[in-house]
Amino acid sequence: MRLTEPTDLRSGQPCWPQPGVIGADLLPDRCEIVVVGAGIMGAMLADRLSREGHQVVVLDRRPPAHGSTAASTALVQWAADTPLLHLSQRWGAERAAAIWQRLHRTVNNLAVEIEHSGIDCGWQARSELYLAGNLLDEDALKAEAECRAAAGLPSVFLEAGEVKARFDLPARAALLSQDAFGVDPVALTHGLLERARAAGAAIVHPIEVLGLDQADDGVSLILDGGARLEASQVVLATGYEASRWFLPEAFTLGSSFAIATAPDTPPVWAEGVMLWEASDPYLYARRTDDGRILVGGGDIDSADPHRRDAQLAQKQARLKLDGARLLGVDELQVDCAWAATFGSSPDGLPALGRAAHTQRVWLAHGFGGNGVTFARLGAELLSSALAGRPDEELMLFDPYRFEG
């Protein structure tokens, strides 16, 4: 078994403009830290680690941002897939609140950095409207609001009439939360990698990592063609092509679907808030920087690309109808539609931490619906650990937390 198996990660046509491919650097013989994966997680890590003075090499079997990142719908939120009420039932109120508080700080840290970075990535400050559904009805939303307020998080409950009057949406109770954002994930990934390169990082692609030889003083990465790269530390940021040598089976794969209208579609609801239904299956919508209406959801529990692709036309039609219902309009005109592999976990949170039975291999897998947020979180937590100053909140996202 190879370190990760190549996977058909997406199909159809995502809505993000495709910038030119980032050029490839020469492969060195050795380095301090190797980041395997050049998607949004790998880019966040490479950028932070290189700017903190580490010698970093990024490896990927594809050009940067050509895997799952290109299919991301990039709602940058601190509210995780699993409601805080439900997370409290799993982990206890104190631990659940600490998790969400950390995610809130992480999103705001990223916002400050992007605003000062000069990276052109369509970054938009938005509020989020979490609409009552079959997962949380109106009464449960009120309880969720109380739970968030107790944790000091910026959410308020709105009655159905308030939602209709303020946002010109069908009347439905909701939670209105601040400090959410939208972004072009491909442009952000490219910008971060270029900044990492300017700080001394090397970006090598396409190149296949076949395996790892571990020793007390380092890790030897076995590459295709018989080459080797010696490193002091390795971070596996391989997205949904996860290494099953290390990642527990609790982290599972499925498929998700999305549609988008053409650019400059006239607004059909007020304030540009991002919309998310508290339902299973979920549905969400947002506007992009170039004026598209993006609608996503319709997940299935299979990551088989043939089964996924066979459902794309049906899912496109379903999202078109459901999106129109969500927004209270007669019809949405679809300009592009796509499907992609998607990862999830029992608590909707990522796998971040040291790989089992290793001292120098780390996992950075953002399984869940907050991929950009989890990428920034991984960069914050793992950069501290690699610098020898571990953050005690890293244990909240331990890859082995479901194993007792």
Side-chain angles (χ1 to χ4, degrees):
M1 185 174 68
R2 290 194 287 185
L3 182 65
T4 66
E5 290 298 322
T7 303
D8 180 357
L9 292 169
R10 58 185 174 89
S11 55
Q13 180 57 54
C15 67
W16 310 115
Q18 291 299 309
V21 174
I22 292 177
D25 298 313
L26 295 176
L27 179 71
D29 294 326
R30 62 181 61 250
C31 71
E32 181 189 357
I33 301 173
V34 171
V35 176
V36 184
I40 186 60
M41 179 70 82
M44 289 274 192
L45 284 159
D47 173 59
R48 189 176 184 95
L49 290 168
S50 59
R51 290 190 301 110
E52 289 182 350
H54 298 283
Q55 182 191 28
V56 177
V57 174
V58 181
L59 307 178
D60 202 307
R61 59 168 56 107
R62 298 180 182 84
H66 273 61
S68 297
T69 294
S72 171
T73 49
L75 288 75
V76 187
Q77 303 162 286
W78 48 267
D81 287 357
T82 303
L84 187 54
L85 272 175
H86 297 175
L87 197 67
S88 297
Q89 293 167 5
R90 173 179 283 275
W91 297 123
E94 183 176 355
R95 177 171 171 174
I99 290 168
W100 275 44
Q101 289 162 353
R102 179 58 189 248
L103 294 176
H104 182 243
R105 292 198 307 275
T106 294
V107 167
N108 283 303
N109 290 344
L110 178 59
V112 170
E113 183 162 321
I114 294 301
E115 288 166 7
H116 292 88
S117 69
I119 297 174
D120 183 8
C121 57
W123 186 259
Q124 308 167 308
R126 291 288 184 263
S127 300
E128 179 208 355
L129 204 59
Y130 191 42
L131 298 156
N134 62 27
L135 189 64
L136 295 178
D137 61 14
E138 183 171 342
D139 289 338
L141 271 184
K142 291 178 180 178
E144 176 78 3
E146 293 172 0
C147 201
R148 295 185 185 193
L153 297 165
S155 294
V156 295
F157 177 80
L158 300 181
E159 300 284 354
E162 294 178 90
V163 170
K164 179 177 176 61
R166 178 170 172 180
F167 300 105
D168 195 23
L169 289 166
R172 194 169 6 163
L175 296 184
L176 179 64
S177 300
Q178 304 306 314
D179 302 332
F181 303 86
V183 71
D184 176 337
V186 176
L188 177 57
T189 299
H190 275 238
L192 291 169
L193 287 173
E194 292 289 11
R195 194 166 68 161
R197 173 181 275 158
I203 303 165
V204 184
H205 66 86
I207 191 165
E208 188 81 22
V209 182
L210 302 178
L212 306 175
D213 277 344
Q214 301 179 60
D216 291 340
D217 60 349
V219 182
S220 180
L221 291 90
I222 306 165
L223 309 175
D224 54 356
R228 284 183 177 252
L229 173 58
E230 307 299 327
S232 296
Q233 305 277 352
V234 174
V235 184
L236 300 180
T238 56
Y240 302 139
E241 290 177 319
S243 175
R244 288 300 172 180
W245 291 358
F246 303 115
L247 191 68
E249 292 182 357
F251 294 87
T252 57
L253 296 176
S255 299
S256 192
F257 303 84
I259 61 171
T261 65
D264 301 317
T265 298
V268 297
W269 73 98
E271 298 185 30
V273 291
M274 300 193 304
L275 308 175
W276 194 286
E277 279 190 331
S279 293
D280 184 15
Y282 60 79
L283 184 72
Y284 60 87
R286 77 171 181 95
R287 286 185 65 83
T288 64
D289 185 51
D290 60 354
R292 296 177 185 268
I293 296 173
L294 189 158
V295 179
D299 292 8
I300 61 173
D301 61 3
S302 171
D304 178 81
H306 301 293
R307 181 178 171 190
R308 176 196 71 204
D309 294 352
Q311 295 193 41
L312 180 54
Q314 174 190 351
K315 293 291 185 178
Q316 174 180 333
R318 185 76 257 172
L319 287 173
K320 181 178 177 179
L321 291 173
D322 289 345
R325 170 189 58 80
L326 178 71
L327 302 175
V329 299
D330 292 334
E331 187 178 21
L332 293 174
Q333 296 297 326
V334 177
D335 180 60
C336 50
W338 65 99
T341 301
F342 179 74
S344 59
S345 68
D347 60 3
L349 298 169
L352 304 171
R354 196 191 306 271
H357 312 299
T358 73
Q359 289 299 313
R360 298 175 177 274
V361 180
W362 302 80
L363 301 183
H365 291 296
F367 278 52
N370 297 34
V372 176
T373 302
F374 294 161
R376 170 67 188 207
L377 178 69
E380 291 181 354
L381 293 174
L382 294 184
S383 65
S384 294
L386 288 162
R389 51 175 197 278
D391 187 321
E392 64 181 13
E393 291 184 342
L394 180 59
M395 57 79 61
L396 299 173
F397 310 96
D398 180 5
Y400 308 101
R401 61 187 178 272
F402 306 113
E403 298 185 351

